[in-house]
Amino acid sequence: MKTKRTIYSVLAIALAGMTLSSCSDKLDTMPDNRTVLDSEEKIADLLTRSYPQNSNILLTELMSDNADYFGTRIQWGDVAGDQMYFWQDFTESGNDSPENLWMEYNKCVAQANQALADIDKLGGPTTKALTNSYGEALLIRAYNNFLLANVFCMPYNSKTSSKDLGIYYSTKVERLDARNPRGTVADVYASIAADIEKGIPMINDNFKVAKYHFNKRAAYAFAARFYLYYEKWDKAVDYADRLIGSSVSGQLRDYRALSELPFSDSETVNKVCEAYCAADANCNLLITVPISEAGMALGAWKTYKRYSHDNYLADNETINAIGSLFSCRPVMRGFTMRSADADGVMFPKLPREIEWKDQVAGTGYLHTMNVEFSVDETLLVRAEALTMLGRYAEAAADLTAWLRNYYNTSATLTPENIKQAFDNLAYSYADADKFVGTPKKHLHPAFAIDAEGSVQESMLQCVLDFRRIETLHQGLRWFDVKRYNIEIPRREMGRNGRPSKNIDWLKQNDPRQAVQMPISIQEAGIELNPRG
């Protein structure tokens, strides 16, 4: 552990200095204008480097209801972690800070724009390689703007997004300026849709290692998720259908193979995480390798266990709770930590990887790997969209496929038995102290859904719970909390592993759903997100 902590602390200090010293430069200069992109190979190489080297995973995972708080008695936390967990405006710097995310996502947009401009200078996408690169650049631009919007803006909805503050959507090579008009969330989503629709037909998978690029299958998965968030249910189903086809058989994650791997301590769990992210797994569609502490913080180490997906959450709201609801057990168990100081259930997804700079001195960069898109998650995208379209039997079939793959069960879900199962559950926080969570949350989306207790609402409860489990530790639950306007607490856990007090609540339409603009960007003159 000593070596790991040394890497962690040296890395944090080094990156903090780099971030503070370079913010003003990044605001008004292009990220890479040193190389003339005058060949197919150079353009493809730039795009390989245009996938984010930072990640929102840790930030948005801690902001969601996938973590409880164990208080300052637990030393494995810090000011940055507390600010993430309590939805505070951020003052700290580092790998996983909003400032680094803002800079990195905008850098990737700028590099995509540079690639597009240089392809045009070469006469346009006239070859197979240039056509593929053109499509990839459009999708990179769309995806990074999608991330920016979902982190730093209120969620899209057709009622208020024409007024809600968006982010500046750059479509050309230009000097970045924080004073550019932010536009609206509706503007951003319209621009993302345009890039997706233009980019996908151009992708022909002319890649050396396709899983590290927006290959065709990954592009379909992105489009399906985007249109789900965009409330365009038909298009979400269409793109999911293009990926999955008429049968999902053989396409989902092989949890049984993963469960046979050694799984007893931090290092063996890390190997399972690496297998989870393997490029040769058919279910994995796009893999990124960001510099991030998420692999440590959300993995089988004590790091950041002040905020933890604990046994209480697993038993009452997530993995074990859903198993109890449908009378089955998960194929792949979580790694459990339980002691006087730490309490957590970690699912092996995010490996901790070290890029050594000086192994003797113990310095280097912490990376993780993340499966940005998978068949499993896209299956649940389709199930949600089908539910919104009232195609309940088809949605139940997708939910059945996911349940049978994740859990040891041969059960068949139907709209009727899903409703019955959720009818038997209380809504979360119905107790006098508002402590007790269940898999059932009050849903308050801006879009219309049927009344509580209806078939549709019960099926949405089910799909959101399955999505919560499928995307555990990957930061996506926060976006579902925002989309469905779910009220969630910040509760402190007692030494008995049960809630002892509520410290704060995220209310309906809480302006803290939008992360505040980073301090350095504020100083440059950007319009700030409202605060209550």
Side-chain angles (χ1 to χ4, degrees), residues 284-305:
N284 293 339
L285 306 176
L286 177 64
I287 302 163
T288 58
V289 190
I291 298 173
S292 173
E293 295 160 14
M296 291 282 286
L298 303 173
W301 284 272
K302 290 184 177 179
T303 302
Y304 260 39
K305 293 307 179 285

Side-chain angles (χ1 to χ4, degrees), residues 22-31 174-179:
S22 60
C23 285
S24 60
D25 293 338
K26 287 184 180 179
L27 281 173
D28 58 9
T29 60
M30 291 303 298
E174 59 186 325
R175 297 176 71 85
L176 303 179
D177 190 330
R179 292 164 294 184

Side-chain angles (χ1 to χ4, degrees), residues 202-378:
M202 304 181 82
I203 297 292
N204 53 50
D205 289 351
N206 189 62
F207 303 113
K208 292 180 181 178
V209 185
K211 296 293 182 73
Y212 292 93
H213 298 267
F214 264 117
N215 57 79
K216 199 80 162 183
R217 298 175 75 222
Y220 288 153
F222 170 36
R225 186 190 297 170
F226 166 73
Y227 281 116
L228 183 76
Y229 288 20
Y230 203 11
E231 301 176 14
K232 297 187 183 300
W233 323 118
D234 283 318
K235 291 187 75 70
V237 170
D238 174 56
Y239 277 107
D241 283 346
R242 296 192 206 186
L243 170 66
I244 297 168
S246 59
S247 173
V248 76
S249 178
Q251 297 189 61
L252 299 179
R253 189 171 305 283
D254 190 347
Y255 286 111
R256 283 158 182 81
L258 289 175
S259 69
E260 294 173 358
L261 298 174
F263 193 84
S264 58
D265 56 25
S266 298
E267 296 298 339
T268 55
V269 172
N270 205 56
K271 294 295 184 184
V272 180
C273 292
E274 291 173 343
Y276 183 98
C277 296
D280 61 1
N282 187 47
C283 59
N284 293 339
L285 306 176
L286 177 64
I287 302 163
T288 58
V289 190
I291 298 173
S292 173
E293 295 160 14
M296 291 282 286
L298 303 173
W301 284 272
K302 290 184 177 179
T303 302
Y304 260 39
K305 293 307 179 285
R306 182 183 293 174
Y307 337 90
S308 179
H309 176 259
D310 53 4
N311 287 276
Y312 186 85
L313 276 171
D315 290 343
N316 290 279
E317 297 190 34
T318 64
I319 300 171
N320 299 333
I322 290 300
S324 297
L325 185 64
F326 292 108
S327 302
C328 51
R329 299 175 67 86
V331 174
M332 185 77 192
R333 71 186 190 279
F335 182 83
T336 300
M337 298 174 63
R338 179 177 274 140
S339 68
D341 297 317
D343 179 0
V345 179
M346 280 64 68
F347 194 87
K349 288 185 178 180
L350 302 174
R352 177 225 58 185
E353 304 294 328
I354 302 173
E355 179 189 349
W356 290 105
K357 292 301 178 185
D358 186 335
Q359 195 159 358
V360 175
T363 60
Y365 298 98
L366 283 174
H367 290 258
T368 192
M369 300 175 71
N370 184 50
V371 179
E372 299 283 334
F373 296 98
S374 70
V375 176
D376 304 63
E377 190 261 342
T378 308

